[in-house]
Amino acid sequence: MSAKIIIGVMGPGENASPEDNEMAFELGRAIAKEGWAVLTGGRSFGVMDAAMKGARDVNGLTIGVLPDAHDKNASENAQIKIVTGMGSGRNMINVLSSNIIVVLGMAAGTASEVALAIKSNKKVILLHQDEITIRFFKNIGTYRVLIAKDVDETITQIKDYLAVHQLR
Amino acid sequence: MSAKIIIGVMGPGENASPEDNEMAFELGRAIAKEGWAVLTGGRSFGVMDAAMKGARDVNGLTIGVLPDAHDKNASENAQIKIVTGMGSGRNMINVLSSNIIVVLGMAAGTASEVALAIKSNKKVILLHQDEITIRFFKNIGTYRVLIAKDVDETITQIKDYLAVHQLR
Amino acid sequence: MSAKIIIGVMGPGENASPEDNEMAFELGRAIAKEGWAVLTGGRSFGVMDAAMKGARDVNGLTIGVLPDAHDKNASENAQIKIVTGMGSGRNMINVLSSNIIVVLGMAAGTASEVALAIKSNKKVILLHQDEITIRFFKNIGTYRVLIAKDVDETITQIKDYLAVHQLR
Amino acid sequence: MSAKIIIGVMGPGENASPEDNEMAFELGRAIAKEGWAVLTGGRSFGVMDAAMKGARDVNGLTIGVLPDAHDKNASENAQIKIVTGMGSGRNMINVLSSNIIVVLGMAAGTASEVALAIKSNKKVILLHQDEITIRFFKNIGTYRVLIAKDVDETITQIKDYLAVHQLR
């Protein structure tokens, strides 16, 4: 069995805060150190770019699932570029291709990924989110929604999830 | 110009409350009376089914955008069945094909449609929603998110929107 | 049962020959006269546009499944505009949403629709096609591929198909 | 620049001939030896499976873009599993994500990939194909369609293509 464990990291692009981006970089690094691949929406901005940059910093594998029908706007930190030509329709593929999803920062595209993940019976870790966001997604996702306050807690939750599902 | 005005009606399937379904029926009826088409996720349950049933009750046009690769699970109230084979990936098409979207009841698939609508710069009317839902989507969608408490208010808001955009 | 019978008409856009367009207009007219809806790729060129124009000429229902994420390039003869934002990825939806498919003229996008139709177990009528095209698709599609030389023969084959499948 | 060169290998699944599968294995091996990734439709049959098996045999990177909404039917030779839930709609993603496409064996799904590749302005190498297939795709694809009779010729054509486009 040579299949890679894939951790989805979802979050805002252009509108990510500096704090989101810093945490995304640390998260990408921490995921890659565990030997897992980082999958994002693949663009050269925000949480997507920072998480893949973090993973590449420690020589991790990065996958970018792109909205455009070409790779001109891809992050240079995306090693495997999946070109969908589906716009935000590709968010469904981000979700389905990830073993588990971590969400950092919030915006409309990100919210659609959390909702599609819940709909698809995927576990989602809400990292460093505000009270309204947590309550909204807990209301619609119950046990599929996990809460983490920092990167360490996130990695622990991913490990627990993978252990229970005998992945790795 | 023969193009139909299309109003998207989004809401839970199996888990819709009786109250959601009743309001969806009235909404579908009211939309059809204006001469607009009703577009839904096309399945034979909940808000989707009820809204199309209401539209058909006054001889309105109904469009169901189906998740499966066949039409076996389609609502019998869907006149035009668009078969996507994309599962919840079809939610993006629901959103893009609607001139404006009304959301009634809440579940994971529905939440993804609100988020994708905001992301795609569509106006969304949150009909009869709770405080947490309204605050969450106002946070990420600002002026794209409208609030209505009943069917009449919804129809008025749709008319205002169509007038401003010179549709019809 | 209020569901519409949908006949897909596929063919080249900008590169359609005048002869293709004339025949597409006649085909669209003939389909609409039977009370069936015409579904095409929805753009304002070639076989798509001509077939919908023919259907509208006799007050038929037309559905355009658009490649863009907006409807700015839609044919004005498309009454129901399904907006996919998937580029040629929408060809799969064209095929799945049609009860049966008629192909007129040939180009790369059209060929993908014939192939996807065969793959999806749909019947395809090759109308007025050359020997190489017929032989190629017969090789991969066997009994799913029907041959017609004119519009009358096409309508007869559609009627036979619908009768066998008890549609209408 | 850390992006991987991705070579799409397309061909029949269950209906691949033993000869197709042997050649696909050799092709996958030869692609991986050049340091390129092999992308396929990801299923555990035919040309897809054999090409990824060949690549893994020399420790190459393999990407499977799956039709299902889960990975239960994936080839065990797919390292990166992209889960689309789009059925044959995922063929468009196979094509767009590949720098260049090699086609070995022929079936309906494969034909749709050749056609979508031509439509998307991608180069396609028809490997070991019959006369009808070559003539059909040359008619619709002209200079985008290359012909190769064996694996060596295919690798040479890929190298030429990558050199002209200054990839790697």
Side-chain angles (χ1 to χ4, degrees):
Chain A
M1 243 293 283
S2 58
K4 279 274 175 190
I5 300 287
I6 298 179
I7 312 299
V9 180
M10 315 285 156
E14 288 83 347
N15 300 317
S17 70
E19 195 184 5
D20 291 341
N21 288 338
E22 268 173 56
M23 198 178 270
F25 182 89
E26 286 314 316
L27 178 63
R29 256 183 140 259
I31 289 169
K33 277 181 171 172
E34 299 293 336
W36 306 323
V38 170
L39 180 148
T40 78
R43 293 171 60 243
S44 57
F45 292 98
V47 164
M48 296 175 267
D49 187 50
M52 293 191 295
K53 194 170 186 175
R56 292 300 301 143
D57 193 49
V58 292
N59 212 25
L61 182 66
T62 57
I63 306 162
V65 181
L66 297 163
D68 296 323
H70 54 77
D71 68 356
K72 295 194 184 74
N73 301 319
S75 162
E76 59 176 14
N77 295 300
Q79 278 182 294
I80 310 284
K81 291 182 279 192
I82 302 298
V83 180
T84 69
M86 293 171 66
S88 295
R90 67 83 154 84
N91 293 3
M92 185 66 180
I93 300 174
N94 296 357
V95 159
L96 292 175
S97 303
S98 300
N99 290 97
I100 186 167
I101 291 132
V102 186
V103 176
L104 180 51
M106 188 51 59
T110 310
S112 76
E113 291 167 317
V114 180
L116 289 169
I118 293 169
K119 176 73 179 174
S120 309
N121 274 313
K122 294 275 180 179
K123 281 268 197 295
V124 190
I125 301 172
L126 298 180
L127 172 52
H128 196 61
Q129 299 288 347
D130 67 29
E131 188 58 23
I132 294 286
T133 300
I134 290 170
R135 284 177 64 191
F136 177 72
F137 285 119
K138 275 284 187 190
N139 281 349
I140 61 171
T142 63
Y143 66 91
R144 295 187 200 89
V145 178
L146 305 174
I147 314 295
K149 61 176 181 307
D150 58 28
V151 169
D152 283 356
E153 226 175 88
T154 303
I155 297 295
T156 302
Q157 290 187 343
I158 298 173
K159 281 183 180 167
D160 289 350
Y161 173 83
L162 297 176
V164 167
H165 290 77
Q166 295 181 289
L167 293 163
R168 153 72 359 132
Chain B
M1 242 292 282
S2 58
K4 279 272 175 189
I5 300 288
I6 297 179
I7 312 299
V9 180
M10 316 285 157
E14 288 83 346
N15 300 317
S17 70
E19 196 185 3
D20 291 341
N21 288 339
E22 268 173 58
M23 197 177 270
F25 182 88
E26 286 314 314
L27 178 64
R29 255 184 140 259
I31 289 169
K33 276 181 173 173
E34 298 292 337
W36 307 322
V38 170
L39 181 148
T40 76
R43 292 169 62 243
S44 56
F45 292 98
V47 165
M48 296 176 265
D49 187 49
M52 293 192 295
K53 194 170 186 175
R56 292 300 299 142
D57 193 48
V58 292
N59 211 23
L61 182 66
T62 56
I63 306 164
V65 181
L66 298 163
D68 297 324
H70 54 76
D71 68 358
K72 296 193 184 76
N73 302 318
S75 163
E76 59 175 14
N77 296 300
Q79 276 182 296
I80 310 285
K81 292 182 279 190
I82 302 298
V83 181
T84 69
M86 293 170 67
S88 295
R90 68 81 155 82
N91 293 1
M92 185 67 180
I93 299 173
N94 295 356
V95 159
L96 292 174
S97 302
S98 300
N99 290 97
I100 184 167
I101 290 132
V102 187
V103 178
L104 180 51
M106 190 49 59
T110 311
S112 76
E113 290 167 318
V114 181
L116 289 168
I118 294 168
K119 176 72 180 175
S120 309
N121 274 313
K122 293 275 178 180
K123 281 270 197 292
V124 190
I125 301 174
L126 298 180
L127 172 53
H128 194 61
Q129 299 289 347
D130 67 27
E131 189 57 27
I132 295 285
T133 300
I134 290 170
R135 286 176 64 190
F136 177 70
F137 285 118
K138 274 285 186 190
N139 281 349
I140 62 171
T142 64
Y143 67 91
R144 294 187 203 89
V145 178
L146 306 174
I147 314 295
K149 60 176 180 309
D150 57 28
V151 169
D152 281 355
E153 226 176 86
T154 303
I155 297 295
T156 302
Q157 291 187 344
I158 297 173
K159 281 183 181 168
D160 290 351
Y161 174 83
L162 297 176
V164 168
H165 290 77
Q166 297 182 287
L167 292 164
R168 153 83 346 143
Chain C
M1 241 296 281
S2 57
K4 279 273 175 188
I5 300 287
I6 298 179
I7 312 299
V9 179
M10 315 286 156
E14 288 83 348
N15 300 318
S17 69
E19 193 185 6
D20 291 340
N21 288 339
E22 268 174 58
M23 197 177 272
F25 182 88
E26 287 314 316
L27 178 64
R29 254 183 143 261
I31 289 170
K33 277 181 173 173
E34 298 292 336
W36 307 323
V38 170
L39 182 149
T40 77
R43 293 169 62 242
S44 56
F45 292 98
V47 165
M48 296 176 266
D49 188 48
M52 294 192 294
K53 195 170 187 176
R56 293 300 300 143
D57 193 48
V58 291
N59 211 26
L61 182 66
T62 56
I63 306 163
V65 181
L66 298 163
D68 296 324
H70 54 77
D71 67 358
K72 295 193 186 76
N73 302 319
S75 162
E76 59 174 16
N77 296 301
Q79 278 183 294
I80 310 282
K81 293 182 278 192
I82 301 298
V83 181
T84 69
M86 294 170 65
S88 295
R90 68 80 155 85
N91 293 2
M92 184 66 180
I93 299 173
N94 295 357
V95 160
L96 292 175
S97 301
S98 301
N99 289 99
I100 186 168
I101 291 132
V102 186
V103 177
L104 180 50
M106 189 50 60
T110 309
S112 76
E113 291 168 315
V114 180
L116 289 169
I118 293 168
K119 176 72 181 174
S120 309
N121 274 312
K122 294 275 179 181
K123 281 269 197 293
V124 190
I125 302 172
L126 298 181
L127 172 52
H128 196 61
Q129 300 289 346
D130 67 27
E131 188 58 24
I132 294 286
T133 300
I134 290 171
R135 285 176 65 190
F136 177 71
F137 285 119
K138 275 284 187 191
N139 281 349
I140 62 171
T142 62
Y143 67 91
R144 294 188 202 89
V145 178
L146 305 175
I147 313 296
K149 60 177 180 309
D150 58 29
V151 169
D152 282 355
E153 225 175 88
T154 303
I155 297 294
T156 302
Q157 291 187 342
I158 297 174
K159 280 183 181 169
D160 290 350
Y161 173 83
L162 296 176
V164 168
H165 290 77
Q166 295 181 291
L167 293 163
R168 156 70 0 132
Chain D
M1 245 295 282
S2 57
K4 278 274 175 188
I5 300 288
I6 297 178
I7 312 300
V9 180
M10 314 288 157
E14 288 83 346
N15 300 318
S17 69
E19 193 183 6
D20 290 341
N21 288 339
E22 268 173 57
M23 198 177 270
F25 182 88
E26 286 314 315
L27 177 64
R29 257 185 140 258
I31 289 169
K33 276 181 171 171
E34 298 292 336
W36 306 323
V38 170
L39 181 147
T40 77
R43 292 171 61 244
S44 55
F45 291 98
V47 164
M48 297 176 265
D49 188 50
M52 294 192 294
K53 193 170 188 176
R56 293 300 300 144
D57 193 49
V58 291
N59 212 26
L61 183 66
T62 57
I63 305 164
V65 181
L66 298 162
D68 297 323
H70 54 76
D71 68 357
K72 294 193 185 76
N73 302 319
S75 162
E76 59 176 13
N77 296 301
Q79 279 183 295
I80 311 283
K81 291 182 281 193
I82 302 298
V83 180
T84 70
M86 294 170 65
S88 294
R90 66 83 154 84
N91 293 2
M92 185 66 180
I93 300 174
N94 294 357
V95 158
L96 292 175
S97 301
S98 300
N99 290 98
I100 185 168
I101 290 132
V102 187
V103 176
L104 179 52
M106 189 51 58
T110 310
S112 76
E113 291 168 318
V114 180
L116 289 169
I118 293 168
K119 176 73 179 172
S120 308
N121 275 314
K122 294 276 179 178
K123 281 269 199 293
V124 190
I125 302 172
L126 298 181
L127 172 53
H128 195 61
Q129 300 288 348
D130 66 27
E131 188 57 24
I132 295 284
T133 300
I134 290 171
R135 285 177 64 190
F136 177 71
F137 285 118
K138 275 284 186 191
N139 281 349
I140 63 171
T142 62
Y143 67 92
R144 294 186 203 89
V145 177
L146 306 175
I147 314 294
K149 60 178 180 305
D150 58 29
V151 169
D152 282 355
E153 225 175 88
T154 303
I155 297 295
T156 302
Q157 291 186 343
I158 298 173
K159 280 184 181 168
D160 289 351
Y161 174 82
L162 297 175
V164 167
H165 290 77
Q166 295 182 290
L167 292 164
R168 157 80 347 140

